Amino acid sequence: MPTQMDYYEVLGIDRDASEADVKRAYRKLAMKYHPDRNPGDTEAEAKFKESAEAYEVLSDAEKRQRYDQYGHAGLKGTSGHDFSHMDAGDIFSMFEDIFAGGGGGPFGGQRRQRGRQGPQRGYDLQTQAEVTLEEVADGVEREIEFTRQDLCESCKGSGAAPGAEPVACVSCGGAGQVAQSGLGGMFRMVTTCPACEGAGKVVKDKCKTCAGDGRQPKKRVLRVKIPAGIHDGQAIRVPNEGEPGAMGGPHGDLHVVVRVKQHDLFTREDDHLILKMPISFTQAALGATLSVPVINGEHEITIKQGSQHGDLIRASGKGLPNLRSGRHGDLVIVLLIEVPSKLTERQEELLREFAETEDRNVMPHSQGFWDKFKSYIS
């Protein structure tokens, strides 16, 4: 085996590859070149050992840094293994965590067979609750109705008829897993027993209520407190209201996703509320004092004389409470000046008189536009 091989080339990865990329590349090569899959192929065995050596260096942050900086010379004096003289099965077992497939059915020549699985936590469930913006402001309790798979009341989840007991699975001998050996007996695949689905026991005399399943759909009704200030899409976790676990394991949780109904008047930005409010051009020109809606009430505001379309008026503390601090946001009123589409004769007469007295110098937006226009055409 060459002593000056490029470890990155051996694994087929770039020099900026992540730790996950290194592990993934090594696993792929080790599975490909394992001698059990390539009996009598000395070249495959050599590649298998090269990939193990490369992985040992590149998976160690300190060794990888020294290798990147000084090459093979930087690894002298560091602890390591002589993979060229090691048995392939020993190499495979050294990194058995990599070949476990993330905790599922493992590959492993030297792995011990796992016993039957113990108690497992039940599945989480998810449902929804709809609230109004007014309820967001004050908080509310909501009755939640959902269906979950509960333990059968007749057999208490065993799946067996009254008086009957589950018996050891003959396919796996009660282990919950079965193993198939590869060539030479060094490589084997351990999988969940298909007969008992990992339970290690099977039911022969089945419960008539649940047909041996051990579970039945059951309707649940809960009252859930929805806190003030919650946002659309946030979820409330209700512990232990999910499905029951396997083999006596605990229940999962229920997640209640909150959906906030769209409001007719207000739109929400974080804890602030936005209100687009139409006013007349006379109110904008002369000013006015008006009562405006706030969430769950009213509030008096003053429109300044000469207000413009799109101006903002901020009512401090009239928004929604913050979910964590409880501090209220603001209500922001956006002024929308409406021009009447129809006028009476008297109104038109008065406006024409007003138009004759208009002074463009007191209308800064108009004056600025016409000054630019004159400059443009001159």
Side-chain angles (χ1 to χ4, degrees):
M1 185 171 60
T3 57
Q4 296 297 313
M5 57 184 169
D6 186 318
Y7 291 140
Y8 290 99
E9 289 185 4
V10 170
L11 296 184
I13 57 177
D14 296 330
R15 290 190 170 270
D16 59 353
S18 67
E19 182 180 346
D21 293 333
V22 173
K23 181 180 289 188
R24 191 179 301 112
Y26 170 56
R27 187 181 191 278
K28 181 178 179 181
L29 291 174
M31 300 297 289
K32 177 180 179 180
Y33 292 118
H34 193 285
D36 225 21
R37 289 187 171 181
N38 303 274
D41 190 338
T42 56
E43 184 178 351
E45 182 177 357
K47 290 183 178 294
F48 176 80
K49 294 178 179 180
E50 286 179 1
S51 62
E53 181 179 335
Y55 175 75
E56 188 191 40
V57 172
L58 298 184
S59 63
D60 185 301
E62 183 179 351
K63 289 182 180 179
R64 182 174 178 176
Q65 183 179 7
R66 296 178 67 173
Y67 175 71
D68 288 344
Q69 189 169 0
Y70 303 109
H72 287 271
L75 301 175
K76 291 181 179 180
T78 61
S79 59
H81 297 87
D82 184 5
F83 291 100
S84 63
H85 293 91
M86 288 181 67
D87 180 82
D90 294 333
I91 297 174
F92 206 91
S93 63
M94 282 178 60
F95 307 114
E96 62 179 6
D97 61 313
I98 299 174
F99 306 101
F107 297 101
Q110 303 296 323
R111 287 181 67 87
R112 292 176 298 173
Q113 180 178 340
R114 295 187 180 186
R116 185 175 56 198
Q117 294 177 337
Q120 298 179 8
R121 183 177 179 274
Y123 290 112
D124 288 353
L125 297 178
Q126 180 175 300
T127 188
Q128 290 189 0
E130 189 176 65
V131 297
T132 65
L133 207 56
E134 287 80 6
E135 290 170 331
V136 170
D138 298 327
V140 67
E141 276 197 4
R142 180 72 82 242
E143 190 172 89
I144 305 297
E145 184 176 304
F146 64 101
T147 301
R148 74 181 184 193
Q149 292 293 327
D150 256 333
L151 297 180
C152 173
E153 295 182 358
S154 298
C155 65
K156 308 303 180 185
S158 69
E165 293 290 337
V167 297
C169 175
V170 295
S171 297
C172 64
Q177 293 180 319
V178 292
Q180 293 181 333
S181 298
L183 296 174
M186 184 168 55
F187 186 81
R188 67 182 177 184
M189 180 181 293
V190 182
T191 59
T192 300
C193 175
C196 66
E197 297 182 345
K201 293 183 179 181
V202 293
V203 176
K204 289 190 175 181
D205 189 5
K206 297 182 178 181
C207 171
K208 293 182 180 179
T209 304
C210 64
D213 186 56
R215 302 192 179 203
Q216 282 187 304
K218 183 178 180 180
K219 184 176 291 186
R220 294 278 294 169
V221 179
L222 303 172
R223 291 197 68 81
V224 177
K225 184 176 181 180
I226 299 175
I230 197 164
H231 286 258
D232 181 74
Q234 288 186 311
I236 300 168
R237 183 176 68 90
V238 185
N240 302 318
E241 284 295 340
E243 292 190 352
M247 303 179 190
H251 281 69
D253 298 332
L254 174 68
H255 298 268
V256 182
V257 179
V258 176
R259 294 299 178 190
V260 182
K261 291 179 62 177
Q262 187 173 356
H263 200 275
D264 292 335
L265 293 175
F266 304 107
T267 56
R268 182 181 189 177
E269 289 188 9
D270 296 325
D271 299 324
H272 305 305
L273 292 176
I274 312 299
L275 173 65
K276 294 182 178 180
M277 189 179 71
I279 61 173
S280 68
F281 73 97
T282 54
Q283 288 174 322
L286 301 175
T289 298
L290 300 176
S291 181
V292 300
V294 296
I295 203 76
N296 294 328
E298 295 182 356
H299 179 69
E300 192 174 87
I301 64 168
T302 299
I303 299 173
K304 293 180 180 180
Q305 189 178 38
S307 292
Q308 302 297 309
H309 183 83
D311 279 357
L312 305 179
I313 299 175
R314 185 177 294 269
S316 180
K318 297 300 181 180
L320 296 173
N322 182 272
L323 180 61
R324 292 182 175 83
S325 69
R327 174 184 285 183
H328 282 67
D330 299 335
L331 172 66
V332 179
I333 300 115
V334 183
L335 300 181
L336 304 178
I337 300 176
E338 288 190 329
V339 177
S341 57
K342 292 184 179 180
L343 297 172
T344 65
E345 290 185 4
R346 178 58 179 160
Q347 288 173 332
E348 184 175 347
E349 180 183 348
L350 290 172
L351 281 175
R352 290 190 183 281
E353 290 180 9
F354 171 76
E356 291 176 358
T357 65
E358 277 186 316
D359 184 355
R360 291 179 181 175
N361 292 326
V362 300
M363 294 187 289
H365 293 292
S366 176
Q367 181 184 8
F369 172 80
W370 292 111
D371 287 345
K372 292 176 182 178
F373 177 73
K374 290 176 181 178
S375 175
Y376 178 74
I377 63 175
S378 61

